[in-house]
Amino acid sequence: MNILIIGKSGCRPCKDARKLARELVGKDGTYTYKDIEHADNEHLKHWMEVTGIKTVPQIFIDGEHVGDFEVFAKYVG
């Protein structure tokens, strides 16, 4: 399972998503977290603007856009 979380610092749901991702992948697995405020991730800000998405986190599982934290929690629950 490949999990990508797009978030930003200071975001409580982003922290919760990261915690849930850690639980899902276990201690031997990994997930990817990308902070939209980091210069290397400007393309993600652009993607959010183009798609009309205004909130973080946004989560992808195996390349499929799942949605925000609430949808992610239901998806894996």
Side-chain angles (χ1 to χ4, degrees), residues 8 27-28 30 35 40 44 46 53 55-56 64 69 73:
K8 66 180 182 178
K27 64 181 180 180
D28 296 328
T30 60
D35 189 323
D40 290 345
L44 297 174
H46 179 71
I53 295 172
T55 62
V56 288
E64 178 183 337
F69 174 71

Side-chain angles (χ1 to χ4, degrees), residues 12-66:
R12 185 72 200 155
C14 297
K15 291 178 185 176
D16 293 343
R18 291 170 78 178
K19 180 180 179 198
L20 181 56
R22 279 192 299 274
E23 292 170 4
L24 285 171
V25 299
K27 64 181 180 180
D28 296 328
T30 60
Y31 68 94
T32 303
Y33 176 77
K34 297 203 178 242
D35 189 323
I36 62 169
E37 296 175 330
H38 192 274
D40 290 345
N41 298 323
E42 284 293 320
H43 64 288
L44 297 174
K45 272 187 178 179
H46 179 71
W47 169 78
M48 290 180 70
E49 290 170 6
V50 168
T51 58
I53 295 172
K54 297 180 188 220
T55 62
V56 288
Q58 292 298 314
I59 296 108
F60 293 79
I61 298 177
D62 294 331
E64 178 183 337
H65 183 229
V66 174

